[in-house]
Amino acid sequence: TQAWPPGPLWFLWLLLFFDILATGFFIAWPGRLGVLRPTWTKRKPLAAAAAMFGVCCLVYLPALKAFGWAWGAFFIPPFYFQLSRFGLYLVWFAAGAWLGSDDLGRGLLARDGALAQHWRWWLGACFVAYNVLWFLPMGLEAAGALTAAQRGAIWAFLWVVSCVASCFGLVALFRGAVQVRRGWMDSLARSAYLIYIVHYG
């Protein structure tokens, strides 16, 4: 049993830890991210989503099988983290650093790119993936078509699908539908580390 519940704080310290890793990477290999520019993602967001899905499956599903939902401490409490999701969050952090290493108008986040232009489809995919995640395994198990172990495996796979669809769908929404800058949004962007306050809600 944990002596101290991590709450949203665990994500903050993990994000800070990834920042430290990224700093070390850029010091050791300056300009290395520029070798493979993310400009192709502007025209091919579906390929980017498929690649992200594949990488997430590779790092998350074996870790989930090995560790389940267990939590561990990084050297000492209170630096807790969910063992199965450490690699998953590192992948998303690295993808964000890679996309942000170039001009945002030339890659996946471009307002005139394919992701933003088709934001309704991406948001719809996000909604469908989330509902399939919750209702398909449960319905199949209730119908006697799945064992509990099979339901867990399908749920884990669909969870990755839903995560990728949700991230791409929400990015598409905010890059494609939200065209007007607002002060409170700019303030939120500048204070990104304070997002954990909203996490409780």
Side-chain angles (χ1 to χ4, degrees):
T1 303
Q2 294 172 182
W4 185 81
L9 183 61
W10 80 271
F11 181 73
L12 280 184
W13 85 257
L14 198 60
L15 189 60
L16 180 61
F17 177 68
F18 291 160
D19 283 334
I20 293 169
L21 289 181
T23 302
F25 177 86
F26 287 121
I27 290 173
W29 297 285
R32 183 56 60 92
L33 281 180
V35 174
L36 185 61
R37 296 199 177 277
T39 51
W40 64 271
T41 59
K42 180 177 180 177
R43 301 178 309 279
K44 299 180 179 179
L46 188 58
M52 199 66 192
F53 170 75
V55 174
C56 288
C57 282
L58 284 175
V59 298
Y60 175 66
L61 296 180
L64 180 64
K65 185 175 182 180
F67 302 114
W69 302 103
W71 289 75
F74 190 76
F75 296 119
I76 58 169
F79 300 110
Y80 292 105
F81 65 96
Q82 202 165 7
L83 297 171
S84 61
R85 295 188 181 179
F86 182 88
L88 183 69
Y89 287 148
L90 181 58
V91 163
W92 281 100
F93 181 91
W98 176 60
L99 288 171
S101 66
D102 199 6
D103 182 356
L104 297 184
R106 296 169 43 180
L108 185 71
L109 303 180
R111 291 199 181 274
D112 61 341
L115 183 71
Q117 294 295 313
H118 300 99
W119 66 268
R120 291 176 183 84
W121 288 101
W122 285 96
L123 195 62
C126 163
F127 178 79
V128 169
Y130 183 78
N131 281 277
V132 169
L133 164 68
W134 283 106
F135 296 113
L136 180 64
M138 187 170 49
L140 289 174
E141 187 181 24
L146 292 178
T147 64
Q150 290 171 331
R151 177 183 179 272
I154 290 175
W155 193 91
F157 179 82
L158 292 176
W159 187 84
V160 178
V161 172
S162 182
C163 284
V164 174
S166 294
C167 289
F168 275 71
L170 291 174
V171 167
L173 172 68
F174 283 101
R175 295 303 286 176
V178 181
Q179 299 290 342
V180 180
R181 294 186 63 168
R182 304 195 183 279
W184 67 269
M185 288 185 178
D186 290 341
S187 174
L188 189 61
R190 287 192 300 270
S191 308
Y193 272 100
L194 298 179
I195 197 68
Y196 79 94
I197 296 175
V198 188
H199 200 295
Y200 286 101

